[in-house]
Amino acid sequence: MRVELSAGLLRGLCIDAEEACHELERARWLRAVNGPGAVGVAAELRDATLLAQSPARPDRRRAAEWAVRTGCPARIGEAEPRLRLSGVYLAAHSDPSSGAGQRECDRIIRDCGLHDQGFHGALSLLTANGVLEGWRICPESGDVHWMLAPGR
């Protein structure tokens, strides 16, 4: 599978793309195709069965620990991966200075791998866990508006 991550997304997630690519390539989780550079990075993810394996080797363990440490907000803790991904996604698509964000509901559901019926529950859990201060869906446009909790 090929993935392209923009430099803005990586900056928003506070990810050092060069360090991340180097470590994840060493662990054989991905192969950088283009970058990292000023516009971002394009990479090919290795076989999904490799990613699903228990990270028994030290290099895989380090890569897994890096991904959890960098990509998982502490307030989400031991939540399921889709909830953690949703928290990271909303943080990455929020204004860094105000914490406010807006995105199409359908796009969030698709990008985070959620189901229509699980979407409201995921946002409610993120609010209960202190990741979001609040959220609402605009009835006219269908856009989701949210505010990150203070200190995020």
Side-chain angles (χ1 to χ4, degrees):
M1 178 164 83
R2 183 182 170 107
V3 63
E4 294 184 18
L5 303 170
S6 70
L9 173 68
L10 295 169
R11 270 193 311 277
L13 292 172
C14 300
I15 294 176
D16 179 340
E18 194 167 318
E19 176 188 339
C21 284
H22 178 68
E23 189 158 347
L24 294 172
E25 278 182 308
R26 251 192 3 235
R28 292 185 279 178
W29 281 29
L30 63 78
R31 181 178 71 81
V33 176
N34 186 14
V39 296
V41 64
E44 288 180 353
L45 299 177
R46 298 292 183 179
D47 188 301
T49 58
L50 174 69
L51 297 176
Q53 292 175 2
S54 174
R57 290 191 356 224
D59 57 344
R60 287 189 187 155
R61 188 171 33 256
R62 280 193 308 276
E65 288 169 358
W66 174 86
V68 169
R69 189 175 59 250
T70 305
C72 180
R75 292 180 180 162
I76 296 179
E78 297 294 320
E80 71 170 45
R82 283 190 183 144
L83 185 61
R84 291 191 308 234
L85 173 62
S86 299
V88 171
Y89 180 91
L90 295 174
H93 290 90
S94 299
D95 182 281
S97 59
S98 69
Q102 174 185 339
R103 202 95 172 151
E104 299 92 0
C105 184
D106 295 348
R107 184 160 185 182
I108 296 171
I109 290 169
R110 183 182 63 246
D111 290 350
C112 294
L114 299 170
H115 301 286
D116 289 344
Q117 60 272 28
F119 177 68
H120 292 272
L123 292 181
S124 295
L125 281 171
L126 289 171
T127 303
N129 287 333
V131 174
L132 298 179
E133 185 174 291
W135 63 276
R136 67 180 179 85
I137 298 177
C138 181
E140 293 84 33
S141 66
D143 287 352
V144 178
H145 298 260
W146 67 88
M147 180 64 70
L148 294 177
R152 276 284 302 131

Short mmCIF file of all heavy atoms in Angstrom, two decimals, residues 3 5 10 15-37 40-44 63 66:
data_model
loop_
_atom_site.label_atom_id
_atom_site.label_comp_id
_atom_site.label_asym_id
_atom_site.label_seq_id
_atom_site.Cartn_x
_atom_site.Cartn_y
_atom_site.Cartn_z
N VAL A 3 1.30 5.37 0.69
CA VAL A 3 0.73 6.44 1.48
C VAL A 3 1.54 7.71 1.23
O VAL A 3 2.75 7.64 1.05
CB VAL A 3 0.70 6.07 2.98
CG1 VAL A 3 2.10 5.88 3.53
CG2 VAL A 3 -0.04 7.10 3.79
N LEU A 5 2.07 11.51 2.93
CA LEU A 5 1.83 12.35 4.10
C LEU A 5 2.43 13.72 3.83
O LEU A 5 3.63 13.84 3.55
CB LEU A 5 2.46 11.73 5.35
CG LEU A 5 1.99 10.31 5.68
CD1 LEU A 5 2.85 9.71 6.79
CD2 LEU A 5 0.53 10.32 6.07
N LEU A 10 2.55 16.18 9.04
CA LEU A 10 3.63 15.69 9.89
C LEU A 10 4.03 16.73 10.93
O LEU A 10 4.25 16.40 12.10
CB LEU A 10 4.82 15.27 9.03
CG LEU A 10 4.56 14.09 8.09
CD1 LEU A 10 5.70 13.92 7.10
CD2 LEU A 10 4.33 12.81 8.88
N ILE A 15 5.87 15.25 14.22
CA ILE A 15 6.66 14.09 13.81
C ILE A 15 7.85 14.57 12.99
O ILE A 15 7.69 15.30 12.02
CB ILE A 15 5.80 13.11 12.97
CG1 ILE A 15 4.71 12.51 13.85
CG2 ILE A 15 6.68 12.02 12.36
CD1 ILE A 15 3.75 11.60 13.09
N ASP A 16 9.02 14.16 13.40
CA ASP A 16 10.24 14.41 12.63
C ASP A 16 10.26 13.36 11.52
O ASP A 16 10.58 12.19 11.76
CB ASP A 16 11.46 14.28 13.53
CG ASP A 16 12.77 14.50 12.79
OD1 ASP A 16 12.80 14.39 11.54
OD2 ASP A 16 13.78 14.78 13.47
N ALA A 17 9.88 13.77 10.32
CA ALA A 17 9.70 12.82 9.21
C ALA A 17 10.98 12.07 8.89
O ALA A 17 10.94 10.86 8.62
CB ALA A 17 9.20 13.57 7.97
N GLU A 18 12.11 12.73 8.92
CA GLU A 18 13.36 12.06 8.59
C GLU A 18 13.67 10.96 9.60
O GLU A 18 14.00 9.83 9.24
CB GLU A 18 14.50 13.07 8.53
CG GLU A 18 15.74 12.53 7.88
CD GLU A 18 16.74 13.62 7.56
OE1 GLU A 18 16.33 14.68 7.08
OE2 GLU A 18 17.93 13.37 7.79
N GLU A 19 13.54 11.28 10.88
CA GLU A 19 13.80 10.29 11.93
C GLU A 19 12.80 9.13 11.85
O GLU A 19 13.17 7.96 11.94
CB GLU A 19 13.70 10.95 13.31
CG GLU A 19 13.85 9.99 14.47
CD GLU A 19 13.55 10.64 15.80
OE1 GLU A 19 13.60 11.88 15.90
OE2 GLU A 19 13.23 9.90 16.74
N ALA A 20 11.53 9.47 11.65
CA ALA A 20 10.48 8.44 11.58
C ALA A 20 10.71 7.51 10.40
O ALA A 20 10.64 6.29 10.55
CB ALA A 20 9.11 9.10 11.48
N CYS A 21 10.99 8.07 9.23
CA CYS A 21 11.22 7.24 8.05
C CYS A 21 12.42 6.33 8.24
O CYS A 21 12.37 5.15 7.92
CB CYS A 21 11.40 8.11 6.81
SG CYS A 21 9.86 8.79 6.20
N HIS A 22 13.48 6.90 8.79
CA HIS A 22 14.69 6.10 8.99
C HIS A 22 14.41 4.92 9.92
O HIS A 22 14.76 3.78 9.63
CB HIS A 22 15.81 6.98 9.57
CG HIS A 22 17.07 6.25 9.85
ND1 HIS A 22 17.86 5.72 8.86
CD2 HIS A 22 17.66 5.91 11.02
CE1 HIS A 22 18.89 5.11 9.41
NE2 HIS A 22 18.79 5.20 10.72
N GLU A 23 13.76 5.19 11.04
CA GLU A 23 13.49 4.12 12.01
C GLU A 23 12.50 3.10 11.47
O GLU A 23 12.67 1.90 11.64
CB GLU A 23 12.97 4.72 13.32
CG GLU A 23 12.90 3.69 14.41
CD GLU A 23 12.92 4.28 15.80
OE1 GLU A 23 13.23 5.47 15.94
OE2 GLU A 23 12.63 3.53 16.74
N LEU A 24 11.45 3.56 10.79
CA LEU A 24 10.44 2.63 10.26
C LEU A 24 10.98 1.83 9.07
O LEU A 24 10.58 0.69 8.85
CB LEU A 24 9.16 3.37 9.91
CG LEU A 24 8.43 3.95 11.13
CD1 LEU A 24 7.27 4.84 10.69
CD2 LEU A 24 7.94 2.87 12.07
N GLU A 25 11.92 2.41 8.32
CA GLU A 25 12.58 1.64 7.24
C GLU A 25 13.49 0.58 7.84
O GLU A 25 13.52 -0.55 7.35
CB GLU A 25 13.38 2.58 6.34
CG GLU A 25 12.55 3.27 5.29
CD GLU A 25 13.37 4.15 4.37
OE1 GLU A 25 14.15 4.99 4.86
OE2 GLU A 25 13.22 3.98 3.15
N ARG A 26 14.23 0.95 8.88
CA ARG A 26 15.11 -0.02 9.54
C ARG A 26 14.31 -1.20 10.10
O ARG A 26 14.77 -2.34 10.08
CB ARG A 26 15.87 0.66 10.69
CG ARG A 26 17.31 0.84 10.41
CD ARG A 26 18.15 1.23 11.59
NE ARG A 26 17.49 1.32 12.86
CZ ARG A 26 17.49 2.38 13.65
NH1 ARG A 26 18.10 3.46 13.29
NH2 ARG A 26 16.88 2.35 14.81
N ALA A 27 13.10 -0.90 10.59
CA ALA A 27 12.25 -1.96 11.13
C ALA A 27 11.51 -2.71 10.02
O ALA A 27 10.76 -3.64 10.29
CB ALA A 27 11.24 -1.36 12.11
N ARG A 28 11.71 -2.25 8.78
CA ARG A 28 11.07 -2.84 7.59
C ARG A 28 9.55 -2.72 7.63
O ARG A 28 8.84 -3.62 7.19
CB ARG A 28 11.53 -4.27 7.38
CG ARG A 28 12.99 -4.32 6.98
CD ARG A 28 13.43 -5.69 6.67
NE ARG A 28 13.70 -6.36 7.94
CZ ARG A 28 14.07 -7.62 8.04
NH1 ARG A 28 14.21 -8.34 6.98
NH2 ARG A 28 14.30 -8.15 9.20
N TRP A 29 9.05 -1.62 8.18
CA TRP A 29 7.61 -1.36 8.18
C TRP A 29 7.21 -0.60 6.93
O TRP A 29 6.07 -0.66 6.49
CB TRP A 29 7.20 -0.57 9.42
CG TRP A 29 7.08 -1.40 10.65
CD1 TRP A 29 7.76 -2.54 10.95
CD2 TRP A 29 6.21 -1.17 11.74
NE1 TRP A 29 7.38 -3.01 12.17
CE2 TRP A 29 6.44 -2.19 12.69
CE3 TRP A 29 5.29 -0.18 12.04
CZ2 TRP A 29 5.75 -2.26 13.89
CZ3 TRP A 29 4.61 -0.24 13.24
CH2 TRP A 29 4.84 -1.28 14.15
N LEU A 30 8.14 0.19 6.38
CA LEU A 30 7.85 0.95 5.17
C LEU A 30 9.12 1.18 4.39
O LEU A 30 10.22 0.95 4.88
CB LEU A 30 7.15 2.27 5.49
CG LEU A 30 7.87 3.34 6.33
CD1 LEU A 30 8.89 4.11 5.52
CD2 LEU A 30 6.84 4.30 6.88
N ARG A 31 8.94 1.66 3.16
CA ARG A 31 10.04 2.06 2.30
C ARG A 31 9.69 3.43 1.74
O ARG A 31 8.66 3.60 1.09
CB ARG A 31 10.23 1.06 1.16
CG ARG A 31 11.40 1.41 0.22
CD ARG A 31 11.57 0.37 -0.86
NE ARG A 31 10.51 0.39 -1.84
CZ ARG A 31 10.43 1.24 -2.87
NH1 ARG A 31 11.36 2.16 -3.03
NH2 ARG A 31 9.44 1.17 -3.72
N ALA A 32 10.54 4.42 2.03
CA ALA A 32 10.30 5.77 1.53
C ALA A 32 10.50 5.77 0.02
O ALA A 32 11.52 5.31 -0.49
CB ALA A 32 11.21 6.78 2.19
N VAL A 33 9.50 6.26 -0.71
CA VAL A 33 9.56 6.33 -2.16
C VAL A 33 10.02 7.71 -2.60
O VAL A 33 10.82 7.85 -3.50
CB VAL A 33 8.16 6.02 -2.78
CG1 VAL A 33 8.19 6.16 -4.28
CG2 VAL A 33 7.71 4.63 -2.37
N ASN A 34 9.53 8.72 -1.92
CA ASN A 34 9.87 10.10 -2.25
C ASN A 34 9.92 10.90 -0.95
O ASN A 34 8.91 11.00 -0.25
CB ASN A 34 8.83 10.69 -3.20
CG ASN A 34 9.21 12.06 -3.69
OD1 ASN A 34 10.36 12.49 -3.53
ND2 ASN A 34 8.26 12.75 -4.26
N GLY A 35 11.06 11.46 -0.62
CA GLY A 35 11.18 12.26 0.59
C GLY A 35 11.83 11.45 1.70
O GLY A 35 12.40 10.41 1.45
N PRO A 36 11.76 11.93 2.88
CA PRO A 36 11.02 13.11 3.30
C PRO A 36 11.66 14.39 2.77
O PRO A 36 12.86 14.48 2.64
CB PRO A 36 11.07 13.05 4.82
CG PRO A 36 12.25 12.22 5.14
CD PRO A 36 12.46 11.29 4.00
N GLY A 37 10.80 15.33 2.48
CA GLY A 37 11.25 16.60 1.94
C GLY A 37 10.33 17.72 2.34
O GLY A 37 9.50 17.58 3.24
N GLY A 40 6.64 16.77 2.04
CA GLY A 40 6.18 15.62 2.81
C GLY A 40 6.94 14.38 2.44
O GLY A 40 8.10 14.44 2.03
N VAL A 41 6.27 13.25 2.55
CA VAL A 41 6.89 11.98 2.25
C VAL A 41 5.87 11.04 1.61
O VAL A 41 4.70 11.08 1.95
CB VAL A 41 7.50 11.33 3.52
CG1 VAL A 41 6.43 11.00 4.53
CG2 VAL A 41 8.31 10.09 3.19
N ALA A 42 6.35 10.28 0.64
CA ALA A 42 5.55 9.22 0.05
C ALA A 42 6.26 7.92 0.39
O ALA A 42 7.49 7.82 0.28
CB ALA A 42 5.44 9.38 -1.47
N ALA A 43 5.50 6.94 0.84
CA ALA A 43 6.11 5.68 1.26
C ALA A 43 5.22 4.52 0.88
O ALA A 43 4.01 4.68 0.69
CB ALA A 43 6.32 5.69 2.78
N GLU A 44 5.85 3.37 0.75
CA GLU A 44 5.13 2.12 0.54
C GLU A 44 5.16 1.35 1.84
O GLU A 44 6.24 1.09 2.38
CB GLU A 44 5.77 1.31 -0.57
CG GLU A 44 5.56 1.88 -1.93
CD GLU A 44 6.21 1.05 -3.03
OE1 GLU A 44 6.94 0.08 -2.72
OE2 GLU A 44 5.99 1.38 -4.19
N ALA A 63 10.31 0.65 16.77
CA ALA A 63 9.43 1.35 15.83
C ALA A 63 8.02 1.43 16.37
O ALA A 63 7.36 2.47 16.27
CB ALA A 63 9.45 0.65 14.47
N TRP A 66 7.92 3.95 19.15
CA TRP A 66 7.97 5.30 18.60
C TRP A 66 6.60 5.72 18.09
O TRP A 66 6.14 6.83 18.36
CB TRP A 66 8.99 5.38 17.47
CG TRP A 66 8.95 6.70 16.79
CD1 TRP A 66 9.61 7.83 17.15
CD2 TRP A 66 8.14 7.05 15.67
NE1 TRP A 66 9.26 8.85 16.31
CE2 TRP A 66 8.36 8.41 15.40
CE3 TRP A 66 7.23 6.35 14.88
CZ2 TRP A 66 7.73 9.08 14.37
CZ3 TRP A 66 6.60 7.02 13.85
CH2 TRP A 66 6.86 8.36 13.61
#
